[in-house]
Amino acid sequence: MSEYKITVGIECHVQLNTKTKLFSGVDNDATDKEPNSCVSPVDYALPGMLPVLNKVAVEKAVRAGLAMNCKINLVSRFDRKHYYYPDLPKGYQISQMYQPIIGAGVVHLPDGSDVHIEHAHLEEDAAKSTHFGSYSLVDLNRAGTPLLEIVSMPDIHSAAQARVYCEELHRLMMYANVTNGDLYQGNMRFDVNVSVSKTDKLGTRTETKNLNSFRSVERLIEAETKRQISVLEKGGEIKQQTLGWDDATGKTTPQRGKENAQDYRYMPEPDVPPIVLEQSYVDKVASEMPKMPADYRSEFSVLNLDDSAVEAIVNYPVLANRLSEVCDKNVKLAPRVANWFASVLLAEENLDKDFSLATGAELAELSEMVEKKELSSTAAKEVLLEMYDHKNTSKTPHQLAKEMNLLQENDTDALSAIIDEVLAMPECAKAAEDVRNGEMKAIGFLVGQVMKKSQGKANPASVNELIRSKLS
Ligand code: MN
């Protein structure tokens, strides 16, 4: 049914990796902690408690906004969003409804398309309910974790594009260091609004909340557009409602009916003053931002790499940063380093996101050694593995190659002596004779013998050349 146009907008809740919660001083990281152990009176809403805004959460929000090319609003305010649920002890969530901290922006996707950001706002996370047969348990450790809710414009028109957007958002948040980014732990959760229409007028949308993998976002959109189209084709109507997604069955189920802003009785939060930022503060945060994936993509475009190699490298900020340093030193040395990253490091199992690696200067040196035929390409990969992840990072590539006995023999006198020995060997007489008679096929055998005698350290090209001159 290709005549239907699919329209998707995504809201993403990003848990900010601050040390403490949004409005209280207790630990924001409850990994491996007992339920209800990271909680203050603010988080369980004791009467008389007063929330105090976490400055670092504000800075992280600004960083996230800058990563998405957004306008940073110098004045923003908090509002109370009311609803009644056991995981919300105050009976309201402190959020930003009317004046969010982050204004409009745009995310450039690797496929060349753009998704505009409507706004992004700070709010507190709710607690976590776990449901058992006849009862439920509430863990308040998550109550008050700072969230940045990023609301996209309905600029997405396929399941695949939605996935690319979510992946890029994740990359941006990781580069900006505003979240730990562990999707399995719910550090980023996606609410997906989907509608289909045959005309320019948008169709009625459904919202599916709390998806926590890129793949489930993609699958949900595929399933939900199919469902909506089949309802419409049968002459039915799409109801505006909230759906639940079941990853196991790949199906949606209705959860609740239409809800609008007035249902939440939004009102200004009286206990938290407005956030007022100076432009100089925003400028300072901007000056501390690292390069972003889009910067690296355009920088690496001159290297003539496969898109897939570029994307694989950009997924790892350390690799992107080092490759960029190599480009700065000598762009001619960079493609080789990029290929090593793609073929050697990224092939390592369980590559950690923040491994350490030799400096760009050292990587450039390693690449240059291959250029100058001091090291074979295979040997260079061995050296690279030594320079990765804290192993021997204090030694230069040359020192390492020497210690590992990998330096190629380019000393013509030494090589010449080895070649003479080889040519004198009885088993080489026939091959030598053939080469003398112009049958150059035989030279491979002789080069192989020299390589063997030099324990692989001879440079094959030089050996070849020397043998030719000796036998001409
Ligand atoms: Mn929200």
Side-chain angles (χ1 to χ4, degrees):
M1 305 284 173
S2 57
E3 69 266 40
Y4 284 93
K5 186 176 182 185
I6 296 168
T7 301
V8 174
I10 294 180
E11 293 157 28
C12 175
H13 287 90
V14 182
Q15 286 184 332
L16 302 180
N17 57 351
T18 51
K19 201 166 159 14
T20 58
K21 292 189 180 180
L22 185 55
F23 297 114
S24 82
V26 301
D27 210 336
N28 182 37
D29 180 6
T31 317
D32 301 329
K33 302 262 174 64
E34 286 283 299
N36 298 307
S37 65
C38 292
V39 206
S40 81
V42 172
D43 308 312
Y44 51 90
L46 280 195
M49 61 80 184
L50 270 181
V52 177
L53 180 62
N54 180 342
K55 258 192 202 170
V56 181
V58 172
E59 187 191 328
K60 300 246 175 198
V62 171
R63 288 175 68 85
L66 292 168
M68 299 182 292
N69 310 296
C70 288
K71 176 176 186 283
I72 310 299
N73 292 325
L74 296 181
V75 178
S76 63
R77 289 171 209 277
F78 287 96
D79 303 286
R80 291 183 176 182
K81 177 181 183 179
H82 294 81
Y83 61 92
Y84 181 79
Y85 205 69
D87 66 15
L88 192 71
K90 290 198 295 292
Y92 58 85
Q93 176 193 32
I94 304 180
S95 181
Q96 296 188 303
M97 173 68 181
Y98 300 106
Q99 283 178 269
I101 183 162
I102 305 299
V106 60
V107 172
H108 304 297
L109 303 189
D111 68 8
S113 67
D114 284 343
V115 174
H116 290 83
I117 300 300
E118 211 268 331
H119 80 273
H121 61 263
L122 272 170
E123 62 185 26
E124 54 182 346
D125 209 344
K128 197 176 173 175
S129 307
T130 311
H131 304 291
F132 298 89
S134 58
Y135 64 99
S136 299
L137 295 177
V138 176
D139 176 8
L140 290 164
N141 283 352
R142 201 179 71 183
T145 284
L147 294 176
L148 187 71
E149 179 173 341
I150 301 165
V151 180
S152 88
M153 298 290 279
D155 281 354
I156 300 165
H157 298 291
S158 74
Q161 192 193 7
R163 181 184 183 135
V164 172
Y165 168 71
C166 293
E167 288 173 349
E168 184 68 2
L169 212 51
H170 181 258
R171 243 174 248 127
L172 293 176
M173 297 302 116
M174 295 301 287
Y175 268 74
N177 184 25
V178 302
T179 183
N180 293 332
D182 185 338
L183 297 193
Y184 185 76
Q185 297 294 338
N187 291 167
M188 283 176 80
R189 311 191 293 266
F190 303 97
D191 298 347
V192 184
N193 291 279
V194 178
S195 68
V196 300
S197 175
K198 281 188 174 180
T199 66
D200 286 339
K201 189 171 173 288
L202 289 180
T204 305
R205 66 187 163 88
T206 60
E207 177 172 24
T208 309
K209 286 186 185 282
N210 278 323
L211 298 171
N212 70 349
S213 80
F214 304 134
R215 189 172 142 70
S216 51
V217 169
E218 190 175 19
R219 288 177 68 210
L220 168 271
I221 296 169
E222 281 165 1
E224 179 55 11
T225 50
K226 242 186 228 157
R227 185 192 71 83
Q228 291 188 10
I229 290 169
S230 97
V231 168
L232 294 173
E233 285 297 295
K234 285 179 200 143
E237 257 186 21
I238 305 299
K239 279 187 243 143
Q240 185 182 333
Q241 59 186 345
T242 303
L243 305 174
W245 169 251
D246 183 340
D247 230 0
T249 62
K251 288 209 164 96
T252 53
T253 43
Q255 280 189 334
R256 54 179 188 256
K258 174 174 173 156
E259 69 205 7
N260 281 317
Q262 59 264 34
D263 300 333
Y264 291 117
R265 295 186 297 124
Y266 277 100
M267 59 154 82
E269 166 59 61
D271 291 340
V272 184
I275 304 174
V276 182
L277 304 174
E278 302 280 345
Q279 186 57 45
S280 60
Y281 166 84
V282 176
D283 294 343
K284 182 170 176 289
V285 175
S287 73
E288 292 160 0
M289 289 292 285
K291 276 189 203 169
M292 285 289 129
D295 302 325
Y296 286 125
R297 283 185 194 112
S298 75
E299 197 177 330
F300 299 157
S301 64
V302 299
L303 302 180
N304 281 321
L305 305 171
D306 283 353
D307 284 352
S308 64
V310 172
E311 287 312 307
I313 289 166
V314 168
N315 262 331
Y316 291 86
V318 186
L319 295 184
N321 167 278
R322 293 304 192 280
L323 184 58
S324 164
E325 284 176 9
V326 175
C327 289
D328 289 345
K329 265 202 112 55
N330 181 350
V331 80
K332 288 202 191 93
L333 298 173
R336 185 180 291 117
V337 174
N339 286 325
W340 289 338
F341 285 172
S343 68
V344 183
L345 293 188
L346 294 173
E348 285 283 288
E349 262 179 62
N350 304 321
L351 192 62
D352 204 350
K353 274 274 172 191
D354 48 8
F355 55 87
S356 69
L357 186 64
T359 63
E362 287 167 329
L363 290 162
E365 185 190 331
L366 187 63
S367 178
E368 197 165 25
M369 286 173 74
V370 177
E371 191 81 28
K372 288 182 177 161
K373 299 195 165 59
E374 293 167 13
L375 203 56
S376 74
S377 191
T378 321
K381 290 176 184 176
E382 287 181 47
V383 176
L384 176 68
L385 280 175
E386 281 302 306
M387 302 197 311
Y388 139 76
D389 210 12
H390 292 292
K391 288 190 283 178
N392 289 317
T393 39
S394 60
K395 291 178 183 156
T396 68
H398 195 272
Q399 281 170 333
L400 280 171
K402 196 166 177 191
E403 275 175 30
M404 294 165 79
N405 211 11
L406 293 169
L407 284 180
Q408 288 193 339
E409 197 59 79
N410 281 320
D411 176 341
T412 317
D413 289 344
L415 270 187
S416 178
I418 297 176
I419 292 169
D420 288 344
E421 273 178 56
V422 166
L423 293 180
M425 284 163 27
E427 63 266 41
C428 294
K430 168 93 172 58
E433 192 53 36
D434 287 349
V435 174
R436 254 190 216 102
N437 294 331
E439 279 186 54
M440 300 316 282
K441 271 193 310 202
I443 203 164
F445 174 75
L446 297 173
V447 173
Q449 293 300 312
V450 175
M451 293 306 292
K452 205 163 137 194
K453 238 189 160 48
S454 75
Q455 289 164 326
K457 287 188 285 175
N459 179 293
S462 320
V463 173
N464 197 302
E465 211 172 286
L466 275 170
I467 293 177
R468 278 166 194 265
S469 76
K470 279 177 192 288
L471 298 181
S472 62

